[in-house]
Amino acid sequence: MYMDINFEYYKIFYYVAKYKNITKAATALGSSQPNVTRIIKLLEAQLDCRLFVREPRGLSLTGEGEMLYAHIETACRQLLRVQEKIGEQEMPGSGVIEIGATETALHLFLFDAMRDFKLKYPGIRVKVHNHSTPEILRYLAAGRLDFAVITAPFETPGSFWAEDLHHFREVPVGGTQYQYLRDTNVDRAALAQCPWVGLGRGTATYDFYKHFFTTLGMEVELDMEVATFDLMLPLLLNNFGIGFIPESLALPLFQEKKLVQIPVDFEMPLRAIRLVLDRRQHKSTAADTFCQYLKSRRTPETEQRTSGE
């Protein structure tokens, strides 16, 4: 039987399910605890089932509650974001942007850009979601992000649009224990026998280097896999193995003699930090402002490469 249930009921259910707490949900909604409790009871009555179970640490969803939340979570989030974006149109220089970024993109390009952007547009808030490239692309496709700034290469759906913001090369490095490799051209067979540290399975970087080593005729397995670049660098500094890091980040560590560069007989490929958008999604004024600002930060070399592609 069809039931005409007020969307506001679903919205309140969404917040209660999200926070697992009536008081927190009421605060987020700008409502009162009794009103939120009343609406949940009305919704349960209309659906003829219990949606929540009260536990010592808060509320938990019943099976029916889990089913309902799974269906309305994305819809509620997108509707709330659209409402927010419509409101932003009337207030230039304000709003909230949600972006996905890989750690390499953050360190090589985005941190400096965000700092200067915030000085220019203090009224615009930026929320950064730091995940692997595949995870970020999934969140972008689900409408949970305004855009992404991630490390290429990667495969994108046909609805996505991408543009290079920054190009970089990575270099093979090791800790001070690998000093003996610095003055010799290490052949590929010897290099393959070294312990390797790198970003693990499920990251675009892992897939990239797996393919790269194959083209060189090398069989390389990581001895230590990490989820983020911030975990990788300490392992290299503490001599757990050798690995690739961006040249611009490695140079200060070479000068401080904390890392050594390992000469190799092959050229390292060019990689890119890329801006990615989903054409199907509406872009707010704030998000468009930040996108245009990021494009303006491209180096002349990157602009030349991008326009020549």
Side-chain angles (χ1 to χ4, degrees), residues 14-286:
Y14 165 75
Y15 274 99
V16 175
K18 177 181 177 181
Y19 290 111
K20 303 289 194 297
N21 184 286
I22 295 286
T23 303
K24 289 182 180 178
T27 301
L29 289 159
S31 183
S32 66
Q33 184 176 340
N35 185 57
V36 171
T37 301
R38 181 179 64 84
I39 296 299
I40 293 298
K41 287 180 178 179
L42 285 172
L43 181 59
E44 288 179 328
Q46 291 194 28
L47 294 174
D48 193 24
C49 66
R50 288 191 69 185
L51 299 173
F52 295 97
V53 175
R54 187 174 296 280
E55 295 181 341
R57 294 186 178 181
L59 300 176
S60 64
L61 289 164
T62 63
E64 292 84 354
E66 291 278 6
M67 186 186 302
L68 180 60
Y69 187 66
H71 281 81
I72 72 166
E73 179 192 12
T74 300
C76 280
R77 185 188 297 113
Q78 290 183 341
L79 282 169
L80 292 170
R81 288 184 67 212
V82 168
Q83 287 178 356
E84 188 176 66
K85 288 175 180 178
I86 290 172
E88 290 169 10
Q89 307 300 322
E90 301 174 2
M91 300 177 61
S94 65
V96 180
I97 309 167
E98 296 200 40
I99 67 174
T102 58
E103 289 208 21
T104 301
L106 285 166
H107 286 290
L108 293 185
F109 183 82
L110 205 50
F111 279 143
D112 285 344
M114 285 193 299
R115 180 197 62 220
D116 295 343
F117 180 80
K118 287 295 292 178
L119 290 173
K120 190 171 183 180
Y121 300 97
I124 296 178
R125 292 184 291 144
V126 181
K127 297 181 181 179
V128 180
H129 301 268
N130 176 218
H131 302 287
S132 68
T133 293
E135 288 176 310
I136 290 170
L137 293 175
R138 285 196 294 272
Y139 290 145
L140 184 61
R144 297 173 66 174
L145 303 170
D146 289 295
F147 60 86
V149 182
I150 51 183
T151 314
F154 49 81
E155 293 184 9
T156 56
S159 64
F160 282 17
W161 172 88
E163 182 174 334
D164 289 357
L165 297 173
H166 177 74
H167 288 100
F168 68 99
R169 291 186 194 275
E170 293 179 304
V171 292
V173 303
T176 54
Q177 179 178 309
Y178 295 93
Q179 185 79 24
Y180 69 96
L181 295 175
R182 193 181 66 172
D183 300 321
T184 61
N185 264 333
V186 184
D187 63 48
R188 299 178 192 187
L191 201 62
Q193 296 304 310
C194 291
W196 283 86
V197 176
L199 295 178
R201 292 169 178 80
T203 66
T205 295
Y206 177 89
D207 294 336
F208 171 75
Y209 277 112
K210 193 75 174 174
H211 174 73
F212 178 62
F213 282 131
T214 300
T215 63
L216 295 175
M218 295 172 59
E219 291 279 344
V220 173
E221 291 294 335
L222 294 178
D223 292 83
M224 301 195 76
E225 295 185 21
V226 296
T228 66
F229 175 78
D230 281 351
L231 292 174
M232 180 178 166
L233 193 55
L235 293 176
L236 294 172
L237 290 167
N238 284 282
N239 298 299
F240 281 95
I242 63 175
F244 295 113
I245 66 172
E247 188 172 20
S248 60
L249 300 180
L251 286 174
L253 296 169
F254 294 157
Q255 294 168 356
E256 296 169 15
K257 299 185 177 179
K258 292 181 178 179
L259 286 179
V260 296
Q261 183 170 355
I262 300 170
V264 291
D265 63 352
F266 51 83
E267 183 179 5
M268 294 301 299
L270 194 68
R271 301 191 68 186
I273 304 299
R274 193 164 287 175
L275 171 68
V276 186
L277 304 167
D278 188 341
R279 294 188 185 96
R280 300 170 302 178
Q281 295 180 23
H282 168 77
K283 190 149 48 75
S284 69
T285 301

